[in-house]
């Protein structure tokens, strides 16, 4: 056997494997985990970045399929209007997780669950902005992006906090929930509403634990998952190595 050719082929395989791993890291540079938080304009307070979040507020580390909650703790004094309110999940979108779905489970104002039905375009899982990776936004009242969503009234008064509970599913990864109270007893939610299903299948309003919690589902675009793509590339690299090895010639024994 020609050992020089054999070791040369093995070296080529090693280089290909390292290159494939580097490509995998690049593909998965964005995505989970991501810190979700409420942002927007409440009264005189504006939150656009994590650094703007008021003291006492709650963020959520989104790591996969689970129920999460985020909360905006208002400063002293009553806020009498909501000019913009949305849940921001940076760098998590259907570009990385093609099967992802978002369900808004409940909205609370000052600890009391309110009557809430999401608009068909309330959840955008392919939100893009200049200089940013695609992300996800859940609009409750949109005063920034011209979606027309106004699922929470503009003149809503807030004296303590706004909290949103939502469920992420279809990512293929198991997440860790940060929800501390999944069955509150204090609510202003009407329980006499009929169930409602849109013809496009995006919104289904059905009773949950005596309430009519929103179960909005936004279907994902059909794009490949970064992890699966990396595995496929690695498979091609192995196949290429096998092809290289198959061309290594072994010397025949000399005739006596």
């Amino acid at each position: 056997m020609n050992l020089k050719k054999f070791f040369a082929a093995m070296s080529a395989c090693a280089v290909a494997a390292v290159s494939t791993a580097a490509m995998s890291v690049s593909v998965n540079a964005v995505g989970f985990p991501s810190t979700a938080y409420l942002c927007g304009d409440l009264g005189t307070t504006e939150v656009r970045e994590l650094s703007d979040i008021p003291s006492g507020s709650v963020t959520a580390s989104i790591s996969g399929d689970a129920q999460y909650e985020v909360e905006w703790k208002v400063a002293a004094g009553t806020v009498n209007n909501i000019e913009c309110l949305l849940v921001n999940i940076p760098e998590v979108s259907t570009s990385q997780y093609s099967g992802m779905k978002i369900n808004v489970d409940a909205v609370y104002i000052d600890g009391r669950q309110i009557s809430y039905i999401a608009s068909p375009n309330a959840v955008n899982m392919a939100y893009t902005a200049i200089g940013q990776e695609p992300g996800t936004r859940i609009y409750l009242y949109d005063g920034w992006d011209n979606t027309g969503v106004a699922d929470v009234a503009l003149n809503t008064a807030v004296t303590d906090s706004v909290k949103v509970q939502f469920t992420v599913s279809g990512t293929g990864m198991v997440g860790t929930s940060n929800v501390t109270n999944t069955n509150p007893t204090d609510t202003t939610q009407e329980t006499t509403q009929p169930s409602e299903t849109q013809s496009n299948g995006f919104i289904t309003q059905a009773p949950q634990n005596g309430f009519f919690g929103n179960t909005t589902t936004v279907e994902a675009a059909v794009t490949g998952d970064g992890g699966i793509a990396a595995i496929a590339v690695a498979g091609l690299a192995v196949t290429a190595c096998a092809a290289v090895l198959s061309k290594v010639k072994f010397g025949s024994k000399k005739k006596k």
Side-chain angles (χ1 to χ4, degrees):
M1 174 170 41
N2 191 325
L3 293 178
K4 288 184 178 181
K5 290 184 178 181
F6 176 77
F7 286 120
M10 292 299 293
S11 297
C13 290
V15 171
V18 171
S19 299
T20 300
M23 289 174 62
S24 176
V25 170
S26 177
V27 168
N28 293 293
V30 295
F32 296 140
S34 174
T35 300
Y37 59 98
L38 275 167
C39 59
D41 288 313
L42 294 184
T44 59
T45 303
E46 181 179 82
V47 173
R48 288 186 177 270
E49 307 291 341
L50 280 169
S51 58
D52 300 329
I53 296 175
S55 176
S57 299
V58 176
T59 62
S61 179
I62 312 299
S63 54
D65 296 354
Q67 186 184 47
Y68 303 95
E69 65 182 19
V70 290
E71 186 172 14
W72 182 332
K73 199 79 169 178
V74 302
T78 300
V79 172
N80 293 313
N81 56 5
I82 296 176
E83 296 181 8
C84 186
L85 184 63
L86 61 94
V87 179
N88 188 32
I89 310 177
E91 299 185 350
V92 169
S93 70
T94 50
S95 295
Q96 295 86 28
Y97 309 100
S98 61
M100 183 175 69
K101 298 178 183 179
I102 300 286
N103 296 337
V104 180
D105 303 321
V107 178
Y108 300 87
I109 303 293
D110 299 335
R112 297 172 64 84
Q113 184 177 352
I114 67 171
S115 178
Y116 172 80
I117 298 177
S119 300
N121 59 333
V123 182
N124 182 356
M125 294 185 296
Y127 173 81
T128 57
I130 298 175
Q132 298 179 7
E133 293 291 339
T136 291
R137 286 192 164 188
I138 305 172
Y139 296 97
L140 286 83
Y141 186 93
D142 180 18
W144 287 351
D145 298 325
N146 300 316
T147 63
V149 174
D151 299 329
V152 173
L154 171 65
N155 61 352
T156 299
V158 183
T159 60
D160 182 60
S161 69
V162 179
K163 180 167 68 174
V164 179
Q165 292 181 342
F166 60 95
T167 297
V168 176
S169 62
T171 67
M173 302 176 66
V174 177
T176 301
S177 174
N178 72 326
V179 177
T180 56
N181 182 9
T182 58
N183 188 26
T185 56
D186 187 11
T187 178
T188 59
Q189 175 71 35
E190 295 293 334
T191 59
T192 57
Q193 295 175 255
S195 61
E196 176 184 325
T197 302
Q198 288 195 355
S199 58
N200 60 13
F202 278 17
I203 296 181
T204 300
Q205 191 72 12
Q208 297 177 353
N209 299 325
F211 309 124
F212 281 77
N214 175 54
T215 56
T216 305
T217 298
V218 180
E219 298 297 334
V222 181
T223 56
D225 179 82
I228 296 175
I231 293 173
V233 172
L236 290 174
V238 173
T239 302
C241 290
V244 171
L245 290 174
S246 67
K247 294 182 179 181
V248 177
K249 297 181 181 180
F250 297 90
S252 58
K253 295 183 178 179
K254 295 182 179 180
K255 296 182 180 179
K256 294 182 179 180

